[in-house]
Amino acid sequence: MARYTLREAMHPSLRATFARSELPEDPTAAQVALWQQSLPIRRRPAPWMLDAVAARATGTPAAQLAARHGLDLPADLRKRTDQVLPRLLAPWLADVPAWRLGREQGRSVDDLAALYGAPAHLIRVALDGWPVEPSADAQAAAAAASDALALWRAGLAFSAIGDRLGVSDDCLRRWVTDGKIELTPARWTPAKIERYYGWSPSIYQQYRKAGIMPPPDSPSEQRPWWWEQTVRDFAQDVLVHHCAECGTWLASARERRPIAPVSTAPGGDARPPE
């Protein structure tokens, strides 16, 4: 198998970083050695910088690291870690082509780290580049997910949850639609119950007035809703008549006031769908 050049082996996103360090774009082994010797003799990077490089290399967002180390902007953290990376990789730069080859032969990053005595996170960055950070929107959604779920389960309205989180209804709805936030269990509105069990609005109203429907789980009667399990339990216990022709599920009229006639014939004792 042909050996890689350094340019071929290194992740493309790092080429500009090393070019700014005056390393030729596609250096020979001799040029790499000269570049290593020409590095200015400076003190080892501060411990916080070493920690920042390692944390960024393992996926910690730059915004979080900037706040941790007292920097104003995530871009400042990215710039500093970019600048120090060539110096940290310098002792092993000639080994990067062999790392790429070893990866193709099935060696893990940990295997390569043990074989070459290099930090695993530096090998990973050299071959794969810095991890792609989630967008600011995704980070905001991740930070809000736990509180949103707790507020949802406490029964707050959707708009009230957005107010508590400090985001618009559209933003919260987009996070839910995109799967960034999960609000469970599901809430069933009257319209959804009507669609699912084939009811007309008048059947729904009569079931509510007759006390056949369970009380809503919502705190307010103005916009009633039920947890999905509440509806499932109700249907299992009460909706015992099924119209095979139209798919409507109806409650037993035994010991109840008769429900307004529906132009369907009962279809037996089949249970409502789960």
Side-chain angles (χ1 to χ4, degrees), residues 20 22 36-37 53 58 81 109 126 131 137 152 172 181 220 235 246:
R20 286 193 293 269
E22 299 181 355
Q36 290 170 324
Q37 294 172 9
V53 169
T58 53
T81 50
V109 170
D137 182 73
W152 175 264
L172 181 58
I181 284 182
S220 170
C246 68

Side-chain angles (χ1 to χ4, degrees), residues 213-229:
M213 285 282 295
D217 293 308
S218 56
S220 170
E221 283 281 351
Q222 293 182 349
R223 293 185 178 181
W225 53 260
W226 292 258
W227 296 119
E228 180 176 6
Q229 192 58 50

Side-chain angles (χ1 to χ4, degrees), residues 80-115:
R80 294 195 184 195
T81 50
D82 284 348
Q83 289 174 339
V84 79
L85 181 65
R87 292 180 55 206
L88 297 180
L89 268 173
W92 301 280
L93 206 56
D95 296 326
V96 175
W99 294 347
R100 175 67 65 184
L101 193 60
R103 167 78 72 79
E104 289 192 356
Q105 292 172 343
R107 294 183 182 274
S108 68
V109 170
D110 290 337
D111 291 338
L112 295 172
L115 185 61

Side-chain angles (χ1 to χ4, degrees), residues 56-202:
R56 184 185 173 195
T58 53
T60 304
Q64 182 177 335
L65 292 172
R68 181 187 304 173
H69 297 294
L71 300 177
D72 293 332
L73 299 173
D76 293 338
L77 189 285
R78 295 189 190 97
K79 179 179 179 180
R80 294 195 184 195
T81 50
D82 284 348
Q83 289 174 339
V84 79
L85 181 65
R87 292 180 55 206
L88 297 180
L89 268 173
W92 301 280
L93 206 56
D95 296 326
V96 175
W99 294 347
R100 175 67 65 184
L101 193 60
R103 167 78 72 79
E104 289 192 356
Q105 292 172 343
R107 294 183 182 274
S108 68
V109 170
D110 290 337
D111 291 338
L112 295 172
L115 185 61
Y116 290 90
H121 67 274
L122 293 182
I123 295 177
R124 188 174 290 107
V125 172
L127 299 181
D128 302 329
W130 295 107
V132 177
E133 296 182 23
S135 65
D137 182 73
Q139 292 179 47
S146 178
D147 289 341
L149 180 59
L151 294 171
W152 175 264
R153 294 192 174 189
L156 269 69
F158 194 85
S159 58
I161 294 174
D163 291 341
R164 289 283 192 92
L165 299 177
V167 299
S168 67
D169 287 1
D170 289 342
C171 178
L172 181 58
R173 189 171 290 107
R174 175 169 50 79
W175 285 348
V176 172
T177 302
D178 294 345
K180 294 184 175 71
I181 284 182
E182 185 176 8
L183 300 180
T184 57
R187 295 175 179 177
W188 285 42
T189 62
K192 180 170 182 177
I193 294 173
E194 291 169 8
R195 289 194 303 269
Y196 194 85
Y197 292 110
W199 297 350
S200 67
S202 63

